[in-house]
Amino acid sequence: MEFFWKTQYSECGSVKSCKDTSASGYLNDSFEGIEKVFTDVEILSTSEVNVVAKAKRYGRWWLLKGLQKDKASETGYQQRLRKELELLMQLQHQNIVSALGLETVEGLGECIVMEYVDGVTLKEWLTTSPDLTHRRRIAKELIDAVGYLHSKGIVHRDLKPENIIITRNGEYVKLIDFGLADSDSYAILKQPAGTAEYMSAEQKEKAVADVRNDIYSLGVIFDKMGIGDNHIVKKCKSPINKRYQNIAELQKDFNGKSNRQTRYIIGGIVLLIIVFAVIIGQRSCNVPEQEQTNEAIIKDQEYADTLKGNTDAPQRMDAANGHDVQTRHDNNTSEQERINKAIIQGKEYVDKRMEETGISQYLDTLSSLRYYKPMFFERLNEGMNAVDDYIGQIKHDYTKEELESIKERLISHQSKKQDKWVKKYYSLKEAYDREIYDREAKEGD
């Protein structure tokens, strides 16, 4: 709120400032060209009952949902619109559209005012062929949103790809359209409702909303998404008594596979480190054996020369050995320099690839896993992928043994860096799991 101040002069000429309460108030109905009223109204969609539009106010886009003109005066449809608003006003979740209130908008009548979400429907998003990791992340966010909804005693009853928005900025879920949502606290507008393709058999017949109705719908959606968990899809779509009885059961099953995948990845990394450690150990053991063999060959040659009467053979052998040792030393030094150069360049290559993933910034700025959960382990694996790519680029310039040595050093380099990222991730995960546990315990009380 913006007030102005008047300068008052006392009789002696001194100046004092005071608030002019008689004239206090807004100076204008708008400021800096930003309107208080809705402008730039654009109809986005219409149905038999509703009109959905976007409009600008205070320099920001808003979503408006009202009734068709021929339905606006009917009490039943008015109650339905108000019921949707009342349910939305109970919800505050990052994956659910938020509502501001109910207002009368010129040309549209009474409308629910909601945040405008810039994105595409899940149906449209799936046409871009996202990979499995992305699809599973979206599925997890959807489960979280529906779980929160159910914790408030609300059933959506119209879950389908068209009512799930994937934002353009960040690609995260926003659940929309609560026109058919219901709660046990309401005694009005009780009837079977939903979209036939996504409705369970009992939802088509019973008026009482049940959280298991939404779980069935999730199963149909997950089937279309191809999330890679056929047993989860099958159980979601089972008859009501064999279905997941609540979202907590579904979350546990879904997260269980994710945790197993994480363990497999970490186990694979550990196994690689062990394999290379064994290789190094074997090579270290072979060096003394080779030196002993060379010494034996030299002594045998000296003995043979002595038997032939070549008394100067030992001296000639010593000179030859000295020359060979020096030559080998020079060659080894040159080869080692080449290998060291390849290792330095490889480390730079791997570090650059990891920097491009933004993994450090992602973990440093993430206060809790519940805000946004990009693919941590996909980013983490990029380092080992970079090692393989680099070895592939230089494989024609080095022997098999040299490549093994270079790769071993690069893996060791990357593993040390990965340790801190993995520790940070599991520190966040532990805090997040504890937060979920405390919240569920509190809600259970």
Side-chain angles (χ1 to χ4, degrees):
M1 188 173 292
E2 197 173 315
F3 295 98
F4 66 87
W5 296 77
K6 290 181 68 177
T7 303
Q8 294 184 335
Y9 293 85
S10 65
E11 292 181 358
C12 63
S14 61
V15 180
K16 61 178 181 177
S17 294
C18 70
K19 195 174 183 180
D20 184 1
T21 55
S22 64
S24 297
Y26 290 106
L27 291 175
N28 297 295
D29 286 339
S30 64
F31 52 93
E32 297 181 358
I34 300 178
E35 298 290 336
K36 287 174 57 181
V37 297
F38 289 106
T39 62
D40 302 310
V41 178
E42 177 185 342
I43 303 298
L44 299 179
S45 65
T46 59
S47 65
E48 185 180 345
V49 176
N50 295 111
V51 177
V52 177
K54 74 172 184 176
K56 190 183 293 182
R57 182 168 69 175
Y58 295 135
R60 173 182 171 181
W61 286 109
W62 298 89
L63 195 70
L64 307 175
K65 183 175 183 179
L67 298 171
Q68 291 279 18
K69 290 183 179 179
D70 60 336
K71 303 291 193 299
S73 60
E74 296 185 28
T75 303
Y77 291 114
Q78 292 174 354
Q79 288 180 329
R80 176 172 158 177
L81 190 68
R82 290 172 184 271
K83 179 180 179 180
E84 180 176 357
L85 171 68
E86 289 170 6
L87 291 172
L88 278 170
M89 294 299 285
Q90 300 177 44
L91 307 175
Q92 286 186 323
H93 191 276
Q94 66 270 18
N95 298 124
I96 298 176
V97 67
S98 60
L100 180 67
L102 194 68
E103 299 185 32
T104 300
V105 180
E106 185 177 355
L108 294 176
E110 206 168 47
C111 295
I112 299 175
V113 180
M114 293 175 279
E115 67 170 317
Y116 175 73
V117 181
D118 183 21
V120 297
T121 65
L122 177 62
K123 183 177 181 180
E124 294 171 302
W125 184 75
L126 288 173
T127 63
T128 65
S129 302
D131 60 34
L132 178 60
T133 304
H134 282 74
R135 296 197 303 274
R136 285 186 62 82
R137 177 176 61 79
I138 292 300
K140 183 159 190 327
E141 290 186 10
L142 184 55
I143 293 173
D144 290 344
V146 176
Y148 171 80
L149 199 63
H150 291 177
S151 73
K152 296 293 184 179
I154 299 171
V155 183
H156 191 281
R157 297 209 304 167
D158 198 20
L159 293 175
K160 56 185 179 182
E162 291 82 356
N163 286 340
I164 300 163
I165 300 295
I166 309 301
T167 64
R168 296 186 195 279
N169 188 5
E171 289 195 338
Y172 60 91
V173 165
K174 279 287 186 178
L175 188 57
I176 65 169
D177 198 347
F178 287 73
L180 300 180
D182 200 6
S183 172
D184 290 341
S185 60
Y186 284 87
I188 61 171
L189 303 172
K190 297 289 186 180
Q191 68 276 325
T195 301
E197 184 180 357
Y198 299 90
M199 291 171 64
S200 60
E202 72 278 357
Q203 187 178 341
K204 297 175 182 177
E205 300 173 358
K206 296 182 180 180
V208 178
D210 190 319
V211 295
R212 292 172 292 182
N213 302 157
D214 282 349
I215 291 174
Y216 179 90
S217 301
L218 285 175
V220 180
I221 293 169
F222 292 161
D223 195 10
K224 291 182 179 294
M225 291 178 66
I227 62 170
D229 289 311
N230 292 330
H231 74 285
I232 289 179
V233 171
K234 184 177 179 180
K235 191 166 183 179
C236 284
K237 296 168 66 176
S238 296
I240 190 166
N241 292 329
K242 295 182 179 180
R243 200 176 304 160
Y244 293 110
Q245 298 300 294
N246 51 62
I247 285 290
E249 291 182 7
L250 172 56
Q251 280 178 319
K252 182 178 180 181
D253 215 357
F254 186 90
N255 293 338
K257 175 166 184 178
S258 297
N259 291 337
R260 287 195 297 275
Q261 289 177 329
T262 299
R263 290 196 294 270
Y264 293 155
I265 292 170
I266 294 176
I269 293 172
V270 171
L271 182 60
L272 279 174
I273 294 173
I274 293 172
V275 168
F276 281 107
V278 170
I279 291 173
I280 295 239
Q282 289 176 339
R283 291 183 64 189
S284 299
C285 292
N286 289 338
V287 170
E289 291 177 2
Q290 186 62 45
E291 290 177 349
Q292 290 174 3
T293 301
N294 292 339
E295 289 176 0
I297 292 172
I298 292 170
K299 288 181 179 179
D300 288 344
Q301 186 61 46
E302 288 178 348
Y303 181 69
D305 286 344
T306 302
L307 290 177
K308 292 178 182 179
N310 296 329
T311 56
D312 62 337
Q315 289 80 6
R316 288 189 286 105
M317 186 64 69
D318 288 342
N321 287 341
H323 178 268
D324 289 344
V325 168
Q326 183 63 41
T327 301
R328 287 199 302 271
H329 178 269
D330 292 341
N331 290 339
N332 289 340
T333 300
S334 177
E335 289 175 4
Q336 191 59 49
E337 287 176 352
R338 288 175 60 250
I339 293 173
N340 289 341
K341 183 177 180 181
I343 291 170
I344 292 171
Q345 292 175 342
K347 288 179 179 179
E348 291 175 351
Y349 178 82
V350 173
D351 290 346
K352 183 178 179 182
R353 283 273 291 269
M354 288 307 299
E355 186 177 333
E356 289 172 354
T357 69
I359 191 169
S360 293
Q361 296 87 337
Y362 157 70
L363 287 173
D364 289 342
T365 58
L366 198 64
S367 60
S368 172
L369 293 184
R370 65 190 170 92
Y371 291 115
Y372 184 47
K373 302 171 276 294
M375 298 66 63
F376 170 71
F377 285 101
E378 181 177 303
R379 298 181 185 201
L380 192 69
N381 288 341
E382 185 62 21
M384 294 304 175
N385 293 337
V387 171
D388 290 336
D389 291 346
Y390 179 74
I391 294 299
Q393 293 173 16
I394 65 171
K395 65 180 180 181
H396 299 299
D397 300 326
Y398 297 87
T399 65
K400 182 178 178 181
E401 290 75 16
E402 289 172 339
L403 289 174
E404 288 177 354
S405 175
I406 294 168
K407 187 172 183 178
E408 172 200 333
R409 291 284 297 277
L410 295 182
I411 288 177
S412 175
H413 169 75
Q414 180 60 17
S415 297
K416 290 176 182 177
K417 293 200 163 212
Q418 287 184 174
D419 283 346
K420 67 174 183 178
W421 292 324
V422 171
K423 288 177 182 177
K424 176 70 174 177
Y425 176 84
Y426 279 104
S427 175
L428 286 170
K429 187 176 187 306
E430 181 181 357
Y432 178 59
D433 290 343
R434 186 166 57 251
E435 178 184 338
I436 294 295
Y437 177 82
D438 292 343
R439 187 172 67 195
E440 289 179 350
K442 184 177 180 181
E443 291 173 353
D445 294 340

